[in-house]
Amino acid sequence: MGKVVCFGEIMMRLNPEGYKRFVQASAFEASYAGGEANVAVSLANYGIPASYVTKVPAHEIGQCAVNELRRFGVDTGDIVRGGPRMGIYFCEKGASQRGSKVIYDRAGSSIALARREDFDWSRILQGADWFHFTGITPALGGELPEICLDALKMARARGIRVSCDLNYRKKLWSRERAGEVMAQLMPYVDVIIANEEDAADVFGIRAEGTDVNAGVIHREGYVSVARQLAERFGAKRVAITLRGSISASENDWAGMLYENGQAYFSRQYRIHIVDRVGGGDSFGGGLIYASLKDFGPQECIEFAVAASCLKQSIELDFNHVSVDEVLALAGGNASGRVQR
């Protein structure tokens, strides 16, 4: 099996201890994460050769991020060194009726200032079966929309499958700019991944009859969203996570996979959330793994949703679960009993 190449920004995550608010914190825990990095770690944990591509500063903090990826078996050989700084994000975990909060400090980071000549995609994609990126990467501005397009064109020329999680971030760019840029990239994407709001924010495609704040999910509305995305951009598959937010601590969690005009819905889980950041990335990692293993559509969506369900019981961004654990949950073992 060839490798999966993931491209994006890895950041330092700083969060207060436990459920403290920012204003209560006297110390912050440091870890490293990013949308595409989270996917790469998931795949490496599942035994898939995963390579991560980014640009980090050529100093010790940049090396810390590289070391963290290496610790989980991710290939870091194509990471570019240089530029002024690591991006940082601060995360305050919510609980009950108080939502989580993220504050970015990533302007002018090494990857945001990267140049097209930093990345030799012909070499980087040698031996790859899959390329993954998210809408966060072009949102960082500079030359990154063009860098992403360079990678996508090379992937298309090589017959490499491509997935993209739309991942709209209003703190990074406007809906108008997101729609303009992503519309140029999506025709090269085979698998589009989105949540309950991304398609509306980026392309104005809404799920009728759904109120995410009230925890109301209308299935047929999402089938329509997936069909419109697939028809507009020619994607072979569209995967959508379905989150019913009861509170910051309790969510209903499910997913849908649309392929060849057919929609496949997973079972629904009631999750008591430990840390929801990275939940969508673990869904993407599970979907890529199941696709590479030639799971059928129903098996694919069940595996992806079970993987992301388990992730939200784990602190920080990375999904530290095994294939067997995901398969057990997808197969119906949701009791949470002690394993002896």
Side-chain angles (χ1 to χ4, degrees):
M1 178 183 296
K3 63 184 177 180
V4 176
V5 176
C6 301
F7 174 58
E9 178 173 34
I10 188 166
M11 295 181 291
M12 178 187 287
R13 167 176 165 165
L14 297 174
N15 55 268
E17 177 185 4
Y19 289 88
K20 286 184 178 179
R21 305 214 70 185
F22 289 138
V23 295
Q24 294 178 283
S26 58
F28 288 82
E29 178 184 15
S31 59
Y32 297 88
E36 300 88 353
N38 299 341
V39 170
V41 170
S42 281
L43 292 168
N45 284 340
Y46 299 148
I48 299 294
S51 173
Y52 187 66
V53 181
T54 191
K55 186 173 184 178
V56 298
H59 55 46
E60 289 84 351
I61 303 304
Q63 190 61 45
C64 285
V66 174
N67 290 349
E68 185 72 358
L69 293 168
R70 287 177 176 169
R71 188 157 76 94
F72 297 106
V74 175
D75 181 353
T76 61
D78 290 316
I79 290 180
V80 178
R81 310 300 178 103
R85 61 171 300 215
M86 289 283 299
I88 298 170
Y89 84 94
F90 298 84
C91 182
E92 176 186 286
K93 291 199 300 180
S96 191
Q97 279 68 47
R98 176 175 59 84
S100 297
K101 182 177 291 187
V102 168
I103 297 174
Y104 290 128
D105 178 18
R106 63 199 301 182
S109 67
S110 293
I111 186 65
L113 300 179
R115 307 297 296 272
R116 293 173 73 178
E117 57 264 30
D118 287 334
F119 304 99
D120 180 358
W121 292 112
S122 179
R123 179 185 56 79
I124 292 169
L125 293 175
Q126 190 71 37
D129 278 347
W130 198 290
F131 177 77
H132 177 75
F133 75 111
T134 78
I136 295 172
T137 302
L140 298 174
E143 296 186 13
L144 281 166
E146 292 78 18
I147 293 170
C148 288
L149 187 57
D150 290 341
L152 295 176
K153 287 181 176 179
M154 182 59 66
R156 176 61 58 87
R158 296 272 180 87
I160 296 167
R161 283 180 285 182
V162 173
S163 56
C164 176
D165 190 331
L166 291 181
N167 261 349
Y168 175 71
R169 296 291 184 266
K170 65 182 179 182
K171 293 183 179 181
L172 296 179
W173 58 355
S174 68
R175 290 181 175 87
E176 293 73 21
R177 178 60 177 161
E180 175 188 345
V181 172
M182 297 307 291
Q184 295 174 356
L185 303 179
M186 286 299 102
Y188 296 91
V189 174
D190 301 293
V191 181
I192 299 174
I193 303 168
N195 68 17
E196 64 272 15
E197 297 172 289
D198 288 333
D201 286 330
V202 179
F203 299 120
I205 300 173
R206 291 173 172 79
E208 298 298 328
T210 291
D211 185 343
V212 297
N213 294 318
V216 177
I217 301 295
H218 180 59
R219 288 190 169 196
E220 288 308 310
Y222 285 108
V223 175
S224 174
V225 168
R227 182 184 299 114
Q228 291 179 70
L229 285 170
E231 291 176 352
R232 179 172 174 181
F233 298 113
K236 296 180 177 66
R237 282 181 162 182
V238 178
I240 298 179
T241 56
L242 308 176
R243 185 188 295 273
S245 294
I246 300 162
S247 71
S249 302
E250 300 287 335
N251 282 188
D252 287 331
W253 184 249
M256 183 201 74
L257 181 63
Y258 181 86
E259 179 181 14
N260 294 326
Q262 178 73 35
Y264 303 85
F265 286 88
S266 75
R267 70 186 67 198
Q268 180 172 280
Y269 299 93
R270 174 66 55 87
I271 306 176
H272 178 76
I273 293 177
V274 172
D275 193 335
R276 66 171 281 178
V277 180
D281 304 321
S282 59
F283 174 85
L287 188 70
I288 293 169
Y289 172 83
S291 299
L292 288 169
K293 292 295 185 178
D294 294 323
F295 287 17
Q298 190 66 50
E299 293 175 297
C300 271
I301 194 61
E302 296 291 359
F303 188 93
V305 170
S308 56
C309 174
L310 289 171
K311 158 55 205 74
Q312 293 171 83
S313 72
I314 298 170
E315 294 275 8
L316 307 179
D317 292 63
F318 293 162
N319 194 17
H320 303 291
V321 298
S322 68
V323 170
D324 287 344
E325 288 173 316
V326 178
L327 288 174
L329 179 57
N333 184 4
S335 67
R337 294 176 63 87
V338 175
Q339 305 297 307
R340 301 187 189 276

